[in-house]
Structures are given as structure tokens and as C-alpha cells.
Amino acid sequence: MEKRFLERAIALAAEKSKEGAHGPFGAVVALNDTIVGEGFNQVVETIDPTAHAEIVAIRMACKRLGRFDLSGCVLYTSCEPCPMCLSAIYWSRIATVVYASTKKDAERAGFDDDFIYRELALPQEKRRIRFIRAMGVEANQVFDAWISNPGKLPY
């Protein structure tokens, strides 16, 4: 664990949240001894609910490294990641996350994600958001095309 990377994530959170339009979250992606991505909460500024610090840092790291697989990288974040960020961490294949504040600390400040964890544990028919499955046969044709010729869809 590189303390300076976690310090940078915390500094981003502090610095940007003082500006008023950013939530108090910062993140850094490091590869070996180098920061390859950093981010701070930009949800309000960009009008994008996915613009969390960790997502912004992951996007920057992927762009800089020219790949979506961040194996070998470490994510340093000012707070324990929310469910969305946690999913992005898994998809990007980051193997280690170092965080400072906990999700309970974030909850104290008004950032509560527990309802999402509870919703995900429920069957779809019991969730707040209604899920309707339609056109499965048509959509599966796309998967079938991919299986027979990965990466070269016919359109």
C-alpha cells in the first residue's frame, strides 16, 4: 500500500468538495509507482449519476493505458466504494482496493447505499424498479452471432 496514493485520493475529495458542486469523494488508480487515473465526484457538475470518483478514475486509467483490463492496478479511494463502483472495479479487474472511510461513515454524511444492497438481494418482482423481459429471442440472436464470430457482428 502506497500511503501517498491514498493521501492524494483524500486530498481530491477535500479539495473538490470545498468547491461545492462535488461530493466528498476522491479516487486514484495506480500502476506500479505511477498514478494512471484519478477522479473526484462529478455527478452534479456533469449531470451524470455514474460520475463517481472511482468510475472517473477508472475511465481515465483505461484511456491512458489503452485497455479496459486494469489487472495489476490498485484503486485508492477516500471511501469504501458503492455498489456501482464496486461492480466497475470487478469489471475492470482491479485486484486491490485501498479505502479510507467506510460506507457507514458515508451514510452519516447523507450518502446511504444500503437500500441498493437490499434491493439487489430481492427477486426482480419484489424490487422498487420494475423489470420487464421482452424480445429475448431476438436479443439472443445477437449472442448467437457473437458466439459464432466473436467481435464481428453482422451490422
Side-chain angles (χ1 to χ4, degrees):
M1 196 237 10
E2 286 277 346
K3 183 179 175 189
R4 65 190 171 103
F5 295 144
L6 189 54
E7 288 172 338
R8 175 63 181 152
I10 294 168
L12 281 167
E15 170 186 321
K16 295 302 180 176
S17 67
K18 282 182 188 171
E19 294 175 10
H22 311 288
F25 302 95
V28 165
V29 176
L31 178 60
N32 302 320
D33 201 31
T34 306
I35 292 175
V36 293
E38 61 179 37
F40 54 90
N41 184 290
Q42 298 176 36
V43 170
V44 174
E45 174 189 8
T46 61
I47 314 169
D48 178 355
T50 69
H52 289 197
E54 297 90 340
I55 302 287
V56 173
I58 288 169
R59 287 175 181 161
M60 181 184 288
C62 288
K63 190 175 220 175
R64 282 194 177 151
L65 295 174
R67 63 184 205 231
F68 59 83
D69 183 332
L70 298 179
S71 296
C73 291
V74 177
L75 175 73
Y76 295 85
T77 179
S78 64
C79 187
E80 186 175 359
C82 75
M84 176 184 65
C85 294
L86 185 58
S87 295
I89 290 162
Y90 276 99
W91 278 111
S92 68
R93 293 172 179 65
I94 289 172
T96 304
V97 176
V98 179
Y99 66 95
S101 297
T102 68
K103 60 185 178 180
K104 291 295 180 192
D105 297 323
E107 184 180 336
R108 263 187 328 104
F111 299 94
D112 184 7
D113 297 323
D114 263 357
F115 78 96
I116 298 172
Y117 289 107
R118 288 191 306 274
E119 284 285 306
L120 291 174
L122 295 173
Q124 281 186 357
E125 64 274 5
K126 295 197 177 198
R127 294 180 186 168
R128 292 182 200 176
I129 298 173
R130 192 169 79 159
F131 285 79
I132 301 168
R133 182 163 190 257
M135 298 186 68
V137 171
E138 294 84 354
N140 282 334
Q141 290 171 355
V142 179
F143 284 130
D144 293 340
W146 177 271
I147 290 165
S148 64
N149 197 2
K152 297 186 174 62
L153 294 176
Y155 44 83

